mmCIF file of all heavy atoms in Angstrom:
data_model
loop_
_atom_site.group_PDB
_atom_site.id
_atom_site.type_symbol
_atom_site.label_atom_id
_atom_site.label_comp_id
_atom_site.label_asym_id
_atom_site.label_seq_id
_atom_site.Cartn_x
_atom_site.Cartn_y
_atom_site.Cartn_z
ATOM 1 N N ASN A 153 -100.214 86.096 209.149
ATOM 2 C CA ASN A 153 -101.614 85.728 209.056
ATOM 3 C C ASN A 153 -102.124 85.505 210.466
ATOM 4 O O ASN A 153 -101.634 84.628 211.168
ATOM 5 C CB ASN A 153 -101.800 84.462 208.210
ATOM 6 C CG ASN A 153 -103.250 84.148 207.956
ATOM 7 O OD1 ASN A 153 -104.143 84.787 208.498
ATOM 8 N ND2 ASN A 153 -103.480 83.161 207.119
ATOM 9 N N PRO A 154 -103.098 86.294 210.931
ATOM 10 C CA PRO A 154 -103.555 86.140 212.311
ATOM 11 C C PRO A 154 -104.250 84.809 212.560
ATOM 12 O O PRO A 154 -104.428 84.417 213.698
ATOM 13 C CB PRO A 154 -104.519 87.314 212.501
ATOM 14 C CG PRO A 154 -104.921 87.714 211.138
ATOM 15 C CD PRO A 154 -103.789 87.352 210.230
ATOM 16 N N LEU A 155 -104.633 84.081 211.543
ATOM 17 C CA LEU A 155 -105.324 82.807 211.709
ATOM 18 C C LEU A 155 -104.374 81.616 211.666
ATOM 19 O O LEU A 155 -104.822 80.478 211.743
ATOM 20 C CB LEU A 155 -106.399 82.657 210.625
ATOM 21 C CG LEU A 155 -107.453 83.767 210.589
ATOM 22 C CD1 LEU A 155 -108.390 83.550 209.424
ATOM 23 C CD2 LEU A 155 -108.199 83.841 211.892
ATOM 24 N N ASP A 156 -103.073 81.832 211.552
ATOM 25 C CA ASP A 156 -102.120 80.720 211.467
ATOM 26 C C ASP A 156 -102.149 79.832 212.702
ATOM 27 O O ASP A 156 -102.059 78.626 212.614
ATOM 28 C CB ASP A 156 -100.694 81.241 211.266
ATOM 29 C CG ASP A 156 -100.392 81.499 209.809
ATOM 30 O OD1 ASP A 156 -101.179 81.053 208.954
ATOM 31 O OD2 ASP A 156 -99.374 82.153 209.538
ATOM 32 N N GLY A 157 -102.275 80.409 213.895
ATOM 33 C CA GLY A 157 -102.192 79.629 215.119
ATOM 34 C C GLY A 157 -103.511 79.015 215.545
ATOM 35 O O GLY A 157 -103.577 78.358 216.571
ATOM 36 N N LEU A 158 -104.589 79.204 214.788
ATOM 37 C CA LEU A 158 -105.889 78.671 215.174
ATOM 38 C C LEU A 158 -106.134 77.319 214.538
ATOM 39 O O LEU A 158 -105.817 77.091 213.391
ATOM 40 C CB LEU A 158 -106.999 79.641 214.750
ATOM 41 C CG LEU A 158 -106.946 81.033 215.352
ATOM 42 C CD1 LEU A 158 -108.067 81.880 214.799
ATOM 43 C CD2 LEU A 158 -107.027 80.960 216.856
ATOM 44 N N ASN A 159 -106.757 76.410 215.319
ATOM 45 C CA ASN A 159 -107.141 75.139 214.719
ATOM 46 C C ASN A 159 -108.613 75.210 214.323
ATOM 47 O O ASN A 159 -109.222 76.264 214.377
ATOM 48 C CB ASN A 159 -106.849 73.969 215.672
ATOM 49 C CG ASN A 159 -107.600 74.084 216.982
ATOM 50 O OD1 ASN A 159 -108.512 74.872 217.106
ATOM 51 N ND2 ASN A 159 -107.202 73.280 217.959
ATOM 52 N N GLY A 160 -109.224 74.126 213.952
ATOM 53 C CA GLY A 160 -110.569 74.116 213.402
ATOM 54 C C GLY A 160 -111.639 74.666 214.320
ATOM 55 O O GLY A 160 -112.610 75.236 213.875
ATOM 56 N N ASN A 161 -111.506 74.504 215.648
ATOM 57 C CA ASN A 161 -112.554 74.973 216.547
ATOM 58 C C ASN A 161 -112.326 76.409 217.019
ATOM 59 O O ASN A 161 -113.031 76.893 217.879
ATOM 60 C CB ASN A 161 -112.705 74.036 217.752
ATOM 61 C CG ASN A 161 -111.443 73.960 218.585
ATOM 62 O OD1 ASN A 161 -110.492 74.690 218.336
ATOM 63 N ND2 ASN A 161 -111.440 73.080 219.581
ATOM 64 N N GLY A 162 -111.347 77.108 216.477
ATOM 65 C CA GLY A 162 -111.116 78.505 216.802
ATOM 66 C C GLY A 162 -110.173 78.731 217.961
ATOM 67 O O GLY A 162 -109.886 79.858 218.306
ATOM 68 N N SER A 163 -109.702 77.659 218.614
ATOM 69 C CA SER A 163 -108.770 77.856 219.719
ATOM 70 C C SER A 163 -107.352 77.809 219.197
ATOM 71 O O SER A 163 -107.089 77.351 218.092
ATOM 72 C CB SER A 163 -108.979 76.783 220.785
ATOM 73 O OG SER A 163 -108.660 75.518 220.268
ATOM 74 N N ASN A 164 -106.461 78.246 220.015
ATOM 75 C CA ASN A 164 -105.060 78.308 219.612
ATOM 76 C C ASN A 164 -104.408 76.956 219.896
ATOM 77 O O ASN A 164 -104.177 76.599 221.032
ATOM 78 C CB ASN A 164 -104.350 79.424 220.382
ATOM 79 C CG ASN A 164 -103.081 79.854 219.713
ATOM 80 O OD1 ASN A 164 -102.710 79.300 218.675
ATOM 81 N ND2 ASN A 164 -102.417 80.820 220.288
ATOM 82 N N GLY A 165 -104.151 76.198 218.877
ATOM 83 C CA GLY A 165 -103.562 74.870 219.043
ATOM 84 C C GLY A 165 -102.142 74.844 218.537
ATOM 85 O O GLY A 165 -101.729 75.668 217.743
ATOM 86 N N HIS A 166 -101.398 73.868 218.984
ATOM 87 C CA HIS A 166 -99.999 73.741 218.561
ATOM 88 C C HIS A 166 -99.874 72.500 217.684
ATOM 89 O O HIS A 166 -99.358 71.479 218.097
ATOM 90 C CB HIS A 166 -99.070 73.643 219.771
ATOM 91 C CG HIS A 166 -99.099 74.873 220.618
ATOM 92 N ND1 HIS A 166 -98.509 76.037 220.227
ATOM 93 C CD2 HIS A 166 -99.664 75.116 221.828
ATOM 94 C CE1 HIS A 166 -98.690 76.949 221.166
ATOM 95 N NE2 HIS A 166 -99.400 76.411 222.147
ATOM 96 N N GLN A 167 -100.393 72.594 216.491
ATOM 97 C CA GLN A 167 -100.289 71.483 215.563
ATOM 98 C C GLN A 167 -99.224 71.810 214.532
ATOM 99 O O GLN A 167 -99.033 72.961 214.164
ATOM 100 C CB GLN A 167 -101.617 71.250 214.849
ATOM 101 C CG GLN A 167 -102.732 70.867 215.796
ATOM 102 C CD GLN A 167 -104.052 70.740 215.058
ATOM 103 O OE1 GLN A 167 -104.187 71.202 213.933
ATOM 104 N NE2 GLN A 167 -105.011 70.121 215.702
ATOM 105 N N ALA A 168 -98.557 70.773 214.082
ATOM 106 C CA ALA A 168 -97.540 70.975 213.055
ATOM 107 C C ALA A 168 -98.227 71.266 211.730
ATOM 108 O O ALA A 168 -99.235 70.656 211.392
ATOM 109 C CB ALA A 168 -96.654 69.735 212.936
ATOM 110 N N LYS A 169 -97.690 72.199 210.981
ATOM 111 C CA LYS A 169 -98.251 72.527 209.676
ATOM 112 C C LYS A 169 -97.853 71.444 208.684
ATOM 113 O O LYS A 169 -96.725 70.964 208.713
ATOM 114 C CB LYS A 169 -97.709 73.888 209.212
ATOM 115 C CG LYS A 169 -98.227 75.035 210.069
ATOM 116 C CD LYS A 169 -97.539 76.343 209.762
ATOM 117 C CE LYS A 169 -97.790 76.784 208.362
ATOM 118 N NZ LYS A 169 -97.214 78.094 208.054
ATOM 119 N N PRO A 170 -98.774 71.055 207.799
ATOM 120 C CA PRO A 170 -98.413 70.049 206.802
ATOM 121 C C PRO A 170 -97.369 70.619 205.851
ATOM 122 O O PRO A 170 -97.371 71.793 205.531
ATOM 123 C CB PRO A 170 -99.730 69.767 206.078
ATOM 124 C CG PRO A 170 -100.598 70.940 206.350
ATOM 125 C CD PRO A 170 -100.154 71.511 207.665
ATOM 126 N N ALA A 171 -96.487 69.744 205.421
ATOM 127 C CA ALA A 171 -95.429 70.168 204.506
ATOM 128 C C ALA A 171 -96.028 70.463 203.133
ATOM 129 O O ALA A 171 -96.945 69.785 202.680
ATOM 130 C CB ALA A 171 -94.367 69.078 204.389
ATOM 131 N N ASP A 172 -95.527 71.494 202.490
ATOM 132 C CA ASP A 172 -95.990 71.834 201.156
ATOM 133 C C ASP A 172 -95.486 70.794 200.166
ATOM 134 O O ASP A 172 -94.336 70.343 200.262
ATOM 135 C CB ASP A 172 -95.466 73.213 200.746
ATOM 136 C CG ASP A 172 -96.097 74.327 201.569
ATOM 137 O OD1 ASP A 172 -97.234 74.148 202.039
ATOM 138 O OD2 ASP A 172 -95.444 75.381 201.716
ATOM 139 N N PRO A 173 -96.314 70.402 199.199
ATOM 140 C CA PRO A 173 -95.835 69.447 198.195
ATOM 141 C C PRO A 173 -94.755 70.098 197.341
ATOM 142 O O PRO A 173 -94.774 71.300 197.115
ATOM 143 C CB PRO A 173 -97.081 69.133 197.363
ATOM 144 C CG PRO A 173 -98.003 70.281 197.590
ATOM 145 C CD PRO A 173 -97.692 70.799 198.963
ATOM 146 N N PRO A 174 -93.784 69.319 196.902
ATOM 147 C CA PRO A 174 -92.721 69.907 196.080
ATOM 148 C C PRO A 174 -93.303 70.424 194.767
ATOM 149 O O PRO A 174 -94.160 69.799 194.153
ATOM 150 C CB PRO A 174 -91.749 68.746 195.853
ATOM 151 C CG PRO A 174 -92.550 67.510 196.103
ATOM 152 C CD PRO A 174 -93.619 67.886 197.083
ATOM 153 N N LYS A 175 -92.840 71.583 194.365
ATOM 154 C CA LYS A 175 -93.313 72.186 193.122
ATOM 155 C C LYS A 175 -92.515 71.620 191.954
ATOM 156 O O LYS A 175 -91.311 71.404 192.063
ATOM 157 C CB LYS A 175 -93.148 73.697 193.180
ATOM 158 C CG LYS A 175 -94.023 74.335 194.236
ATOM 159 C CD LYS A 175 -93.884 75.829 194.225
ATOM 160 C CE LYS A 175 -94.780 76.434 195.294
ATOM 161 N NZ LYS A 175 -94.663 77.863 195.354
ATOM 162 N N PRO A 176 -93.191 71.388 190.830
ATOM 163 C CA PRO A 176 -92.449 70.896 189.672
ATOM 164 C C PRO A 176 -91.502 71.972 189.163
ATOM 165 O O PRO A 176 -91.765 73.158 189.285
ATOM 166 C CB PRO A 176 -93.541 70.585 188.642
ATOM 167 C CG PRO A 176 -94.722 71.378 189.074
ATOM 168 C CD PRO A 176 -94.601 71.545 190.556
ATOM 169 N N GLU A 177 -90.406 71.512 188.603
ATOM 170 C CA GLU A 177 -89.403 72.435 188.093
ATOM 171 C C GLU A 177 -89.960 73.174 186.871
ATOM 172 O O GLU A 177 -90.535 72.574 185.974
ATOM 173 C CB GLU A 177 -88.146 71.666 187.693
ATOM 174 C CG GLU A 177 -87.055 72.551 187.149
ATOM 175 C CD GLU A 177 -85.856 71.753 186.692
ATOM 176 O OE1 GLU A 177 -85.603 70.683 187.258
ATOM 177 O OE2 GLU A 177 -85.186 72.209 185.765
ATOM 178 N N GLN A 178 -89.825 74.486 186.878
ATOM 179 C CA GLN A 178 -90.301 75.275 185.752
ATOM 180 C C GLN A 178 -89.108 75.745 184.948
ATOM 181 O O GLN A 178 -88.111 76.184 185.489
ATOM 182 C CB GLN A 178 -91.109 76.473 186.241
ATOM 183 C CG GLN A 178 -92.393 76.079 186.921
ATOM 184 C CD GLN A 178 -93.194 77.302 187.335
ATOM 185 O OE1 GLN A 178 -92.732 78.424 187.230
ATOM 186 N NE2 GLN A 178 -94.396 77.069 187.808
ATOM 187 N N ARG A 179 -89.236 75.610 183.637
ATOM 188 C CA ARG A 179 -88.171 76.056 182.749
ATOM 189 C C ARG A 179 -88.817 76.736 181.547
ATOM 190 O O ARG A 179 -89.969 76.454 181.213
ATOM 191 C CB ARG A 179 -87.304 74.883 182.284
ATOM 192 C CG ARG A 179 -88.077 73.824 181.527
ATOM 193 C CD ARG A 179 -87.165 72.754 180.956
ATOM 194 N NE ARG A 179 -87.934 71.755 180.248
ATOM 195 C CZ ARG A 179 -88.428 71.897 179.024
ATOM 196 N NH1 ARG A 179 -88.229 73.017 178.375
ATOM 197 N NH2 ARG A 179 -89.118 70.936 178.452
ATOM 198 N N PRO A 180 -88.115 77.628 180.904
ATOM 199 C CA PRO A 180 -88.687 78.278 179.723
ATOM 200 C C PRO A 180 -88.810 77.285 178.567
ATOM 201 O O PRO A 180 -88.077 76.301 178.470
ATOM 202 C CB PRO A 180 -87.690 79.395 179.406
ATOM 203 C CG PRO A 180 -86.423 79.022 180.105
ATOM 204 C CD PRO A 180 -86.800 78.155 181.258
#
Side-chain angles (χ1 to χ4, degrees):
N153 187 353
L155 302 176
D156 275 347
L158 299 178
N159 60 14
N161 61 6
S163 65
N164 199 359
H166 297 287
Q167 297 176 344
K169 292 171 63 176
D172 292 332
K175 295 183 180 179
E177 180 183 330
Q178 294 183 353
R179 60 174 180 78

